[in-house]
mmCIF file of all heavy atoms in Angstrom:
data_model
loop_
_atom_site.group_PDB
_atom_site.id
_atom_site.type_symbol
_atom_site.label_atom_id
_atom_site.label_comp_id
_atom_site.label_asym_id
_atom_site.label_seq_id
_atom_site.Cartn_x
_atom_site.Cartn_y
_atom_site.Cartn_z
ATOM 1 N N LYS F 28 9.272 10.792 -3.054
ATOM 2 C CA LYS F 28 10.033 11.827 -2.350
ATOM 3 C C LYS F 28 11.010 11.254 -1.334
ATOM 4 O O LYS F 28 11.241 11.842 -0.293
ATOM 5 C CB LYS F 28 9.068 12.797 -1.662
ATOM 6 C CG LYS F 28 8.285 13.619 -2.655
ATOM 7 C CD LYS F 28 7.364 14.587 -1.979
ATOM 8 C CE LYS F 28 6.595 15.394 -3.019
ATOM 9 N NZ LYS F 28 5.613 16.259 -2.431
ATOM 10 N N GLY F 29 11.592 10.109 -1.650
ATOM 11 C CA GLY F 29 12.697 9.653 -0.818
ATOM 12 C C GLY F 29 12.487 8.389 -0.022
ATOM 13 O O GLY F 29 13.429 7.893 0.582
ATOM 14 N N TYR F 30 11.270 7.862 0.013
ATOM 15 C CA TYR F 30 11.055 6.630 0.754
ATOM 16 C C TYR F 30 11.066 5.406 -0.157
ATOM 17 O O TYR F 30 10.655 4.327 0.238
ATOM 18 C CB TYR F 30 9.729 6.685 1.525
ATOM 19 C CG TYR F 30 9.732 7.712 2.616
ATOM 20 C CD1 TYR F 30 9.013 8.896 2.493
ATOM 21 C CD2 TYR F 30 10.459 7.501 3.781
ATOM 22 C CE1 TYR F 30 9.026 9.854 3.495
ATOM 23 C CE2 TYR F 30 10.475 8.448 4.790
ATOM 24 C CZ TYR F 30 9.749 9.619 4.645
ATOM 25 O OH TYR F 30 9.769 10.544 5.636
ATOM 26 N N ASP F 31 11.565 5.572 -1.378
ATOM 27 C CA ASP F 31 11.571 4.474 -2.329
ATOM 28 C C ASP F 31 12.562 3.373 -1.954
ATOM 29 O O ASP F 31 12.400 2.229 -2.350
ATOM 30 C CB ASP F 31 11.830 4.977 -3.755
ATOM 31 C CG ASP F 31 13.066 5.851 -3.855
ATOM 32 O OD1 ASP F 31 13.461 6.450 -2.839
ATOM 33 O OD2 ASP F 31 13.626 5.937 -4.962
ATOM 34 N N PHE F 32 13.575 3.682 -1.180
ATOM 35 C CA PHE F 32 14.533 2.670 -0.755
ATOM 36 C C PHE F 32 14.368 2.332 0.723
ATOM 37 O O PHE F 32 15.332 2.049 1.423
ATOM 38 C CB PHE F 32 15.966 3.109 -1.067
ATOM 39 C CG PHE F 32 16.290 2.965 -2.527
ATOM 40 C CD1 PHE F 32 16.212 4.048 -3.378
ATOM 41 C CD2 PHE F 32 16.627 1.732 -3.043
ATOM 42 C CE1 PHE F 32 16.482 3.915 -4.729
ATOM 43 C CE2 PHE F 32 16.904 1.576 -4.395
ATOM 44 C CZ PHE F 32 16.826 2.668 -5.245
ATOM 45 N N SER F 33 13.140 2.357 1.186
ATOM 46 C CA SER F 33 12.804 1.990 2.556
ATOM 47 C C SER F 33 11.858 0.799 2.525
ATOM 48 O O SER F 33 11.167 0.564 1.543
ATOM 49 C CB SER F 33 12.090 3.145 3.270
ATOM 50 O OG SER F 33 12.884 4.296 3.262
ATOM 51 N N ASP F 34 11.835 0.056 3.610
ATOM 52 C CA ASP F 34 10.805 -0.962 3.788
ATOM 53 C C ASP F 34 9.543 -0.249 4.275
ATOM 54 O O ASP F 34 9.628 0.769 4.963
ATOM 55 C CB ASP F 34 11.261 -2.002 4.815
ATOM 56 C CG ASP F 34 12.443 -2.809 4.315
ATOM 57 O OD1 ASP F 34 12.293 -3.475 3.280
ATOM 58 O OD2 ASP F 34 13.507 -2.766 4.949
ATOM 59 N N TRP F 35 8.384 -0.799 3.922
ATOM 60 C CA TRP F 35 7.116 -0.147 4.232
ATOM 61 C C TRP F 35 6.211 -1.052 5.059
ATOM 62 O O TRP F 35 6.116 -2.251 4.808
ATOM 63 C CB TRP F 35 6.363 0.171 2.948
ATOM 64 C CG TRP F 35 6.899 1.297 2.133
ATOM 65 C CD1 TRP F 35 8.196 1.480 1.736
ATOM 66 C CD2 TRP F 35 6.174 2.382 1.582
ATOM 67 N NE1 TRP F 35 8.300 2.612 0.979
ATOM 68 C CE2 TRP F 35 7.069 3.179 0.862
ATOM 69 C CE3 TRP F 35 4.838 2.751 1.615
ATOM 70 C CZ2 TRP F 35 6.689 4.328 0.192
ATOM 71 C CZ3 TRP F 35 4.442 3.885 0.937
ATOM 72 C CH2 TRP F 35 5.365 4.669 0.247
ATOM 73 N N ILE F 36 5.528 -0.435 6.022
ATOM 74 C CA ILE F 36 4.444 -1.082 6.754
ATOM 75 C C ILE F 36 3.240 -0.165 6.603
ATOM 76 O O ILE F 36 3.326 1.027 6.919
ATOM 77 C CB ILE F 36 4.771 -1.264 8.255
ATOM 78 C CG1 ILE F 36 5.970 -2.185 8.436
ATOM 79 C CG2 ILE F 36 3.546 -1.792 9.004
ATOM 80 C CD1 ILE F 36 6.467 -2.266 9.866
ATOM 81 N N ILE F 37 2.147 -0.715 6.103
ATOM 82 C CA ILE F 37 0.921 0.077 5.977
ATOM 83 C C ILE F 37 -0.130 -0.559 6.868
ATOM 84 O O ILE F 37 -0.462 -1.739 6.715
ATOM 85 C CB ILE F 37 0.424 0.144 4.526
ATOM 86 C CG1 ILE F 37 1.513 0.706 3.617
ATOM 87 C CG2 ILE F 37 -0.840 0.996 4.446
ATOM 88 C CD1 ILE F 37 1.134 0.754 2.155
ATOM 89 N N VAL F 38 -0.627 0.222 7.815
ATOM 90 C CA VAL F 38 -1.620 -0.241 8.776
ATOM 91 C C VAL F 38 -2.981 0.295 8.329
ATOM 92 O O VAL F 38 -3.190 1.509 8.286
ATOM 93 C CB VAL F 38 -1.301 0.262 10.200
ATOM 94 C CG1 VAL F 38 -2.324 -0.267 11.195
ATOM 95 C CG2 VAL F 38 0.119 -0.123 10.598
ATOM 96 N N PHE F 39 -3.865 -0.626 7.984
ATOM 97 C CA PHE F 39 -5.211 -0.252 7.574
ATOM 98 C C PHE F 39 -6.168 -0.500 8.738
ATOM 99 O O PHE F 39 -6.258 -1.619 9.239
ATOM 100 C CB PHE F 39 -5.675 -1.085 6.378
ATOM 101 C CG PHE F 39 -5.010 -0.723 5.087
ATOM 102 C CD1 PHE F 39 -3.877 -1.392 4.656
ATOM 103 C CD2 PHE F 39 -5.520 0.284 4.293
ATOM 104 C CE1 PHE F 39 -3.272 -1.072 3.457
ATOM 105 C CE2 PHE F 39 -4.921 0.618 3.097
ATOM 106 C CZ PHE F 39 -3.794 -0.054 2.677
ATOM 107 N N SER F 40 -6.890 0.521 9.141
ATOM 108 C CA SER F 40 -7.866 0.346 10.209
ATOM 109 C C SER F 40 -9.151 -0.282 9.680
ATOM 110 O O SER F 40 -9.885 -0.920 10.418
ATOM 111 C CB SER F 40 -8.172 1.683 10.883
ATOM 112 O OG SER F 40 -8.644 2.609 9.928
ATOM 113 N N ASN F 41 -9.416 -0.126 8.392
ATOM 114 C CA ASN F 41 -10.642 -0.628 7.792
ATOM 115 C C ASN F 41 -10.294 -1.654 6.709
ATOM 116 O O ASN F 41 -9.675 -1.305 5.706
ATOM 117 C CB ASN F 41 -11.427 0.539 7.186
ATOM 118 C CG ASN F 41 -12.753 0.130 6.604
ATOM 119 O OD1 ASN F 41 -13.063 -1.041 6.507
ATOM 120 N ND2 ASN F 41 -13.524 1.101 6.211
ATOM 121 N N PRO F 42 -10.690 -2.913 6.872
ATOM 122 C CA PRO F 42 -10.358 -3.922 5.869
ATOM 123 C C PRO F 42 -10.981 -3.647 4.499
ATOM 124 O O PRO F 42 -10.454 -4.083 3.475
ATOM 125 C CB PRO F 42 -10.888 -5.226 6.462
ATOM 126 C CG PRO F 42 -11.830 -4.837 7.523
ATOM 127 C CD PRO F 42 -11.431 -3.470 7.990
ATOM 128 N N LYS F 43 -12.059 -2.909 4.464
ATOM 129 C CA LYS F 43 -12.684 -2.574 3.173
ATOM 130 C C LYS F 43 -11.761 -1.705 2.327
ATOM 131 O O LYS F 43 -11.787 -1.763 1.107
ATOM 132 C CB LYS F 43 -14.016 -1.860 3.389
ATOM 133 C CG LYS F 43 -15.080 -2.759 3.964
ATOM 134 C CD LYS F 43 -16.365 -2.006 4.201
ATOM 135 C CE LYS F 43 -17.387 -2.909 4.873
ATOM 136 N NZ LYS F 43 -18.603 -2.203 5.227
ATOM 137 N N GLU F 44 -10.930 -0.892 2.969
ATOM 138 C CA GLU F 44 -9.972 -0.056 2.252
ATOM 139 C C GLU F 44 -8.960 -0.923 1.498
ATOM 140 O O GLU F 44 -8.511 -0.562 0.421
ATOM 141 C CB GLU F 44 -9.226 0.869 3.210
ATOM 142 C CG GLU F 44 -10.066 1.951 3.815
ATOM 143 C CD GLU F 44 -10.456 3.011 2.801
ATOM 144 O OE1 GLU F 44 -9.661 3.326 1.906
ATOM 145 O OE2 GLU F 44 -11.585 3.512 2.907
ATOM 146 N N ILE F 45 -8.612 -2.046 2.069
ATOM 147 C CA ILE F 45 -7.646 -2.931 1.419
ATOM 148 C C ILE F 45 -8.290 -3.579 0.198
ATOM 149 O O ILE F 45 -7.757 -3.514 -0.905
ATOM 150 C CB ILE F 45 -7.159 -4.025 2.390
ATOM 151 C CG1 ILE F 45 -6.504 -3.396 3.620
ATOM 152 C CG2 ILE F 45 -6.191 -4.965 1.696
ATOM 153 C CD1 ILE F 45 -6.223 -4.380 4.732
ATOM 154 N N LYS F 46 -9.434 -4.170 0.402
ATOM 155 C CA LYS F 46 -10.092 -4.904 -0.676
ATOM 156 C C LYS F 46 -10.506 -4.007 -1.832
ATOM 157 O O LYS F 46 -10.415 -4.392 -2.991
ATOM 158 C CB LYS F 46 -11.293 -5.662 -0.133
ATOM 159 C CG LYS F 46 -10.897 -6.794 0.788
ATOM 160 C CD LYS F 46 -12.100 -7.522 1.318
ATOM 161 C CE LYS F 46 -11.695 -8.588 2.302
ATOM 162 N NZ LYS F 46 -12.847 -9.290 2.840
ATOM 163 N N SER F 47 -10.929 -2.807 -1.528
ATOM 164 C CA SER F 47 -11.386 -1.925 -2.599
ATOM 165 C C SER F 47 -10.226 -1.273 -3.360
ATOM 166 O O SER F 47 -10.437 -0.661 -4.401
ATOM 167 C CB SER F 47 -12.324 -0.852 -2.041
ATOM 168 O OG SER F 47 -11.648 -0.018 -1.138
ATOM 169 N N ASN F 48 -9.008 -1.404 -2.851
ATOM 170 C CA ASN F 48 -7.845 -0.776 -3.489
ATOM 171 C C ASN F 48 -6.736 -1.770 -3.809
ATOM 172 O O ASN F 48 -5.565 -1.407 -3.846
ATOM 173 C CB ASN F 48 -7.300 0.329 -2.585
ATOM 174 C CG ASN F 48 -8.233 1.500 -2.516
ATOM 175 O OD1 ASN F 48 -8.433 2.193 -3.504
ATOM 176 N ND2 ASN F 48 -8.837 1.719 -1.362
ATOM 177 N N LEU F 49 -7.102 -3.004 -4.071
ATOM 178 C CA LEU F 49 -6.087 -4.035 -4.331
ATOM 179 C C LEU F 49 -5.180 -3.679 -5.500
ATOM 180 O O LEU F 49 -3.970 -3.908 -5.444
ATOM 181 C CB LEU F 49 -6.755 -5.379 -4.592
ATOM 182 C CG LEU F 49 -7.194 -6.157 -3.361
ATOM 183 C CD1 LEU F 49 -7.912 -7.425 -3.770
ATOM 184 C CD2 LEU F 49 -6.022 -6.472 -2.471
ATOM 185 N N ASP F 50 -5.734 -3.120 -6.559
ATOM 186 C CA ASP F 50 -4.909 -2.758 -7.717
ATOM 187 C C ASP F 50 -3.861 -1.724 -7.352
ATOM 188 O O ASP F 50 -2.697 -1.833 -7.744
ATOM 189 C CB ASP F 50 -5.777 -2.228 -8.867
ATOM 190 C CG ASP F 50 -6.622 -3.316 -9.498
ATOM 191 O OD1 ASP F 50 -6.272 -4.500 -9.365
ATOM 192 O OD2 ASP F 50 -7.632 -2.968 -10.125
ATOM 193 N N LYS F 51 -4.267 -0.729 -6.575
ATOM 194 C CA LYS F 51 -3.330 0.328 -6.185
ATOM 195 C C LYS F 51 -2.273 -0.210 -5.221
ATOM 196 O O LYS F 51 -1.104 0.169 -5.306
ATOM 197 C CB LYS F 51 -4.087 1.491 -5.568
ATOM 198 C CG LYS F 51 -4.960 2.215 -6.573
ATOM 199 C CD LYS F 51 -5.734 3.325 -5.925
ATOM 200 C CE LYS F 51 -6.640 3.996 -6.941
ATOM 201 N NZ LYS F 51 -7.472 5.023 -6.335
ATOM 202 N N ILE F 52 -2.699 -1.081 -4.321
ATOM 203 C CA ILE F 52 -1.728 -1.692 -3.402
ATOM 204 C C ILE F 52 -0.734 -2.538 -4.188
ATOM 205 O O ILE F 52 0.469 -2.516 -3.928
ATOM 206 C CB ILE F 52 -2.442 -2.539 -2.328
ATOM 207 C CG1 ILE F 52 -3.298 -1.653 -1.425
ATOM 208 C CG2 ILE F 52 -1.432 -3.324 -1.491
ATOM 209 C CD1 ILE F 52 -4.192 -2.426 -0.484
ATOM 210 N N ASN F 53 -1.232 -3.262 -5.168
ATOM 211 C CA ASN F 53 -0.349 -4.091 -5.985
ATOM 212 C C ASN F 53 0.650 -3.240 -6.768
ATOM 213 O O ASN F 53 1.823 -3.600 -6.882
ATOM 214 C CB ASN F 53 -1.174 -4.965 -6.931
ATOM 215 C CG ASN F 53 -0.365 -6.072 -7.535
ATOM 216 O OD1 ASN F 53 0.546 -6.599 -6.919
ATOM 217 N ND2 ASN F 53 -0.685 -6.422 -8.761
ATOM 218 N N GLN F 54 0.226 -2.103 -7.294
ATOM 219 C CA GLN F 54 1.140 -1.205 -7.995
ATOM 220 C C GLN F 54 2.238 -0.707 -7.058
ATOM 221 O O GLN F 54 3.415 -0.679 -7.426
ATOM 222 C CB GLN F 54 0.383 -0.011 -8.577
ATOM 223 C CG GLN F 54 -0.519 -0.356 -9.733
ATOM 224 C CD GLN F 54 -1.400 0.816 -10.133
ATOM 225 O OE1 GLN F 54 -1.299 1.917 -9.579
ATOM 226 N NE2 GLN F 54 -2.279 0.581 -11.089
ATOM 227 N N LEU F 55 1.848 -0.316 -5.853
ATOM 228 C CA LEU F 55 2.819 0.139 -4.872
ATOM 229 C C LEU F 55 3.767 -0.999 -4.477
ATOM 230 O O LEU F 55 4.976 -0.805 -4.360
ATOM 231 C CB LEU F 55 2.102 0.700 -3.644
ATOM 232 C CG LEU F 55 2.971 1.321 -2.570
ATOM 233 C CD1 LEU F 55 3.725 2.532 -3.117
ATOM 234 C CD2 LEU F 55 2.123 1.728 -1.378
ATOM 235 N N PHE F 56 3.219 -2.190 -4.296
ATOM 236 C CA PHE F 56 4.018 -3.367 -3.965
ATOM 237 C C PHE F 56 5.083 -3.619 -5.033
ATOM 238 O O PHE F 56 6.245 -3.873 -4.717
ATOM 239 C CB PHE F 56 3.098 -4.587 -3.812
ATOM 240 C CG PHE F 56 3.814 -5.884 -3.653
ATOM 241 C CD1 PHE F 56 4.441 -6.205 -2.462
ATOM 242 C CD2 PHE F 56 3.852 -6.797 -4.692
ATOM 243 C CE1 PHE F 56 5.108 -7.413 -2.316
ATOM 244 C CE2 PHE F 56 4.513 -8.002 -4.558
ATOM 245 C CZ PHE F 56 5.139 -8.311 -3.366
ATOM 246 N N LYS F 57 4.695 -3.522 -6.290
ATOM 247 C CA LYS F 57 5.646 -3.742 -7.382
ATOM 248 C C LYS F 57 6.752 -2.690 -7.377
ATOM 249 O O LYS F 57 7.920 -3.013 -7.596
ATOM 250 C CB LYS F 57 4.917 -3.744 -8.714
ATOM 251 C CG LYS F 57 4.110 -4.996 -8.939
ATOM 252 C CD LYS F 57 3.349 -4.939 -10.244
ATOM 253 C CE LYS F 57 2.505 -6.183 -10.426
ATOM 254 N NZ LYS F 57 1.687 -6.129 -11.649
#
């Protein structure tokens, strides 16, 4: 919805959220 040409910063308060969602983060990164 319009943020596709923006730079992104995602702040995770819980490191487990990062590790358990690596595939989804990688898809978004791509």
Side-chain angles (χ1 to χ4, degrees):
K28 292 181 180 175
Y30 294 107
D31 52 335
F32 284 98
S33 302
D34 294 300
W35 287 50
I36 297 172
I37 303 178
V38 182
F39 287 94
S40 58
N41 183 352
K43 291 178 184 175
E44 291 289 325
I45 301 170
K46 292 180 184 179
S47 64
N48 290 293
L49 279 177
D50 290 338
K51 293 178 182 176
I52 295 171
N53 195 33
Q54 290 171 3
L55 185 62
F56 172 74
K57 286 177 182 177

